Amino acid sequence: MTYRYLSCAVISIALLLTGCKKLVDIDEPIDTVTSAKIFSSDEQADQTLAGMYSQIVSTDGVLEMLNGGATIYGGLAADELGLSNGVQFAEEQEINSNKILVNNSVTQHILWMSTYKTIYTANAILDGEAASTAASLTRTKRIELKASARFFRAFSFFYLTNFFGDIPLPLSSDYRKTIRLKRANRSEVYEQIIADLKESISLFSAPEAAVMGKTRANKVAAQALLARAYLYIQDWDNAENYADQVIDNPAYKLESLKNTFEPNSQETVLQFSINPSIDVGTTAEMKHLLPLFPLSLLPVADQALFLDLDNYESFLPALTPRLIVLEQLANAFELNDKRKSAWLDYNASPDAAPYFGKKTYFANKYPRSESDRTNFVLIRLAEMHLIRAEARVMLSKIDLAAADVNLIRNRAGLGNTVASTQESMLAAVAQERKIELFAEWGHRFFDLKRTGKAILVLSAMPEKQGVTADGLLFPIPPNEILANSNLTQNPGY
């Protein structure tokens, strides 16, 4: 870690993330700032927490790991998303082909740097709360500070290790303790993720803990992320147990496909509120995943105008998103699967040479304009059913696993699964994860890697010929290695 991340964290907590209003008077230079000053009252703590959320969402619309980058670059690295113009976006094309050059700025800035900035902010909150002796900082607010910071530190570590493998584990905002950190191996990273989430759950469970809404880190979100972490390390009992706790909570239920991503959806476990006055009602990722003009929203007569062969070429940039959903994913939906019409859309082309009616598919799960939904879903209940199903298969509870799979299938208008053996049920779970969670948070890329299917699946794609195990990990930014000789590079770079 380099010193500049500490500076970013301190500045973001003290000034940037609380708007133009000056938060505190800081007498010391930035490199010796006493973060406890920021935690002298509940009001200042609230401003600091709001700042952390604002930093994660990135109100300036810049794409980062935790506001869409995981979805976009995980999708490109898997068999979900492609580029409409790989020549124009060369660095994204490197990710799409799983042949990333070591100096790729996407991996450095959007994925690595932005996420470590969140970690340092979380660490500064933890350090500041611990150092504060202010009586006006109540126990209720202290619990929220610590539980929220630990949750988002775990959330950040989870995405970093799944993209980069072994990573440094800074647990302090003091750069003197973190500047020479070595990379912790994957098992150590997951140990820290699990420890943070268990502590977050414990804090949120305290009698004095405030009840957090779905737009804030909360106990159920920590349980859900813990279920996911246990799934990834193949601790099937705990994966089932924590998924159970979320599913059994009466405040949550599967919604209709139409309402799944709505702000008031009971399926949502954690979501971010997007300020439409700043972000025009869209998330950063939607500006990459949606075309300017989805034809399905236009009257038929207007669609004909766009698809007229004489006009089509001039309209093509407005009809084509930067990132497309691959046709092979669109073809992977079963016949009569209502998720295809609800969550996947396409723009047609003229039914004549050189286009021949080719469809350009795009994800239709999320907000597309200021008048639409303005929340960004991080975790939802359907994933918990699929986590529990996979864990139950591995625990030889085939019938119980089928019940979870069938809930997801029936919601999509499909009949019960015909899978009955462990092998066939695992395949059924994988298929439902592929369809249910497409274009969400890199699930497909991570699933392919953790199940050992990545090389087999990806090497069958023409654009990914020659993919190797080394290409499944993103490169550690070389400027970080130059700044810290204890850091090492991933193999193959």
Side-chain angles (χ1 to χ4, degrees), residues 181-364:
L181 282 177
K182 297 180 180 180
R183 297 170 67 183
N185 64 44
R186 178 178 177 273
S187 63
E188 292 176 288
V189 177
Y190 273 99
E191 285 175 7
Q192 185 59 51
I193 290 169
I194 290 167
D196 274 343
L197 292 173
K198 284 186 172 181
E199 180 65 15
S200 182
I201 291 168
S202 175
L203 288 164
F204 278 131
S205 301
E208 310 95 318
V211 177
M212 298 289 104
K214 293 183 178 181
T215 59
R216 292 273 187 167
N218 58 72
K219 177 182 176 179
V220 182
Q223 291 171 327
L225 187 57
L226 190 52
R228 186 194 298 175
Y230 278 126
L231 181 80
Y232 275 49
I233 63 171
Q234 300 183 2
D235 184 336
W236 312 119
D237 285 309
N238 274 313
E240 181 188 30
N241 174 39
Y242 280 98
D244 262 337
Q245 293 182 43
V246 180
I247 293 167
D248 290 344
N249 191 314
Y252 302 86
K253 70 174 186 178
L254 291 178
E255 289 273 11
S256 67
L257 297 178
K258 179 182 178 181
N259 293 328
T260 297
F261 295 95
E262 294 295 326
N264 61 352
S265 170
Q266 287 186 265
E267 184 170 338
T268 299
V269 175
L270 181 63
Q271 62 187 355
F272 284 153
S273 294
I274 305 298
N275 186 340
S277 67
I278 297 173
D279 294 302
V280 199
T282 65
T283 63
E285 67 179 3
M286 285 301 97
K287 297 167 186 174
H288 299 269
L289 292 175
L290 287 172
L292 185 60
F293 293 122
L295 289 179
S296 60
L297 298 183
L298 300 177
V300 175
D302 290 341
Q303 292 185 37
L305 175 66
F306 277 88
L307 295 177
D308 185 282
L309 191 60
D310 293 331
N311 302 327
Y312 182 71
E313 188 171 344
S314 61
F315 286 133
L316 190 57
L319 296 173
T320 309
R322 178 180 176 186
L323 298 169
I324 60 173
V325 170
L326 295 177
E327 188 172 357
Q328 64 189 48
L329 175 59
N331 293 337
F333 286 79
E334 292 178 50
L335 187 66
N336 300 322
D337 190 331
K338 294 179 181 178
R339 289 171 293 192
K340 186 170 185 178
S341 58
W343 294 348
L344 190 67
D345 201 355
Y346 66 88
N347 278 344
S349 63
D351 193 16
Y355 306 107
F356 300 107
K358 180 178 174 60
K359 298 175 180 178
T360 299
Y361 290 96
F362 52 90
N364 192 37

Side-chain angles (χ1 to χ4, degrees), residues 228 379-387 433 437 443:
R228 186 194 298 175
I379 304 174
R380 58 189 181 93
L381 188 63
E383 182 197 352
M384 297 301 106
H385 281 288
L386 293 171
I387 286 174
R433 288 185 66 91
L437 303 175
H443 284 294

Side-chain angles (χ1 to χ4, degrees), residues 49 125-126 129-130 139 141-151 196 199-200 203-204:
L49 280 170
I125 288 174
L126 292 168
E129 183 281 327
R139 175 163 171 74
K141 191 56 61 179
R142 286 179 181 273
I143 287 172
E144 183 183 356
L145 285 167
K146 292 184 288 187
S148 300
R150 282 185 175 271
F151 174 84
D196 274 343
E199 180 65 15
S200 182
L203 288 164
F204 278 131

Side-chain angles (χ1 to χ4, degrees), residues 24 26 44 54 63 95 116 127 135 139 170 172 237 273 281 296 302 334 356 361 371 407 415 419 431:
V24 291
I26 300 177
Q44 289 181 328
S54 179
L63 187 66
I95 296 172
Y116 271 110
D127 292 346
R139 175 163 171 74
S172 168
D237 285 309
S273 294
S296 60
D302 290 341
E334 292 178 50
F356 300 107
Y361 290 96
S371 61
L407 282 172
Q431 169 67 10

